[in-house]
């Protein structure tokens, strides 16, 4: 009887909110788990290109498919590195793959291995670091 009395005391709008939340939570949990954009992966290099392996798939990107590669080293407002390094790979089919390195100091290893591919030497690009837009870097 206490449950029935509790349901009658709760306003109908709150009951609807609880109902829709109970239905929507599994849906968004499914989207989060299966369509997660940021996935952990292992980056390695082969003779023909780059190999990215996740838990379920292995992607091999041939060096001839890469249009250009950008390196981004974000900085904070004091112009000190944030300890993050991004590699942005642009493929010829207009697909973009963003990779954030887990270990900041692996960036030299990545750049050195990308320079081994002869056709990529002219396509590597060091993008200006991200900084705080409220602070003028020339001051």
């Amino acid at each position: 009887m206490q449950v029935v009395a509790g349901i009658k005391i709760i306003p109908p709008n709150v009951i609807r909110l609880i109902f829709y939340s109970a239905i929507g939570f599994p849906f968004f949990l499914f989207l989060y788990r299966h369509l997660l954009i940021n996935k952990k992966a292992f980056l390695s290099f082969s003779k023909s290109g780059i190999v990215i392996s996740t838990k379920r798939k292995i992607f091999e990107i041939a060096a001839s498919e890469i249009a250009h590669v950008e390196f981004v080293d974000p900085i904070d407002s004091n112009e000190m590195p944030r300890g993050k390094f991004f590699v942005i790979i642009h493929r010829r089919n207009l697909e973009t793959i963003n990779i954030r390195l887990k270990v900041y100091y692996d960036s030299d290893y990545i750049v050195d291995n990308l320079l081994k591919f002869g056709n990529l030497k002219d396509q590597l690009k060091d993008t200006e670091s991200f900084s705080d837009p409220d602070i003028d870097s020339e001051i």
Side-chain angles (χ1 to χ4, degrees), residues 52-121:
I52 302 171
S53 55
T54 63
K55 287 184 179 178
R56 297 185 180 153
K57 293 183 181 179
I58 296 176
F59 301 100
E60 186 163 353
I61 304 169
S64 60
E65 292 180 13
I66 298 174
H68 66 278
V69 179
E70 294 180 38
F71 304 106
V72 180
D73 188 9
I75 57 174
D76 61 6
S77 59
N78 297 328
E79 295 190 11
M80 297 296 294
R82 289 188 179 181
K84 297 177 183 178
F85 189 81
F86 295 90
V87 179
I88 304 170
I89 301 171
H90 298 276
R91 295 177 70 178
R92 296 203 188 279
N93 63 358
L94 302 178
E95 182 182 5
T96 303
I97 300 171
N98 299 328
I99 300 169
R100 182 175 62 92
L101 299 181
K102 188 174 184 178
V103 180
Y104 177 75
Y105 299 106
D106 287 343
S107 59
D108 293 332
Y109 173 75
I110 301 292
V111 173
D112 291 340
N113 280 318
L114 285 173
L115 286 173
K116 290 180 183 177
F117 300 117
N119 63 337
L120 287 181
K121 288 183 181 179

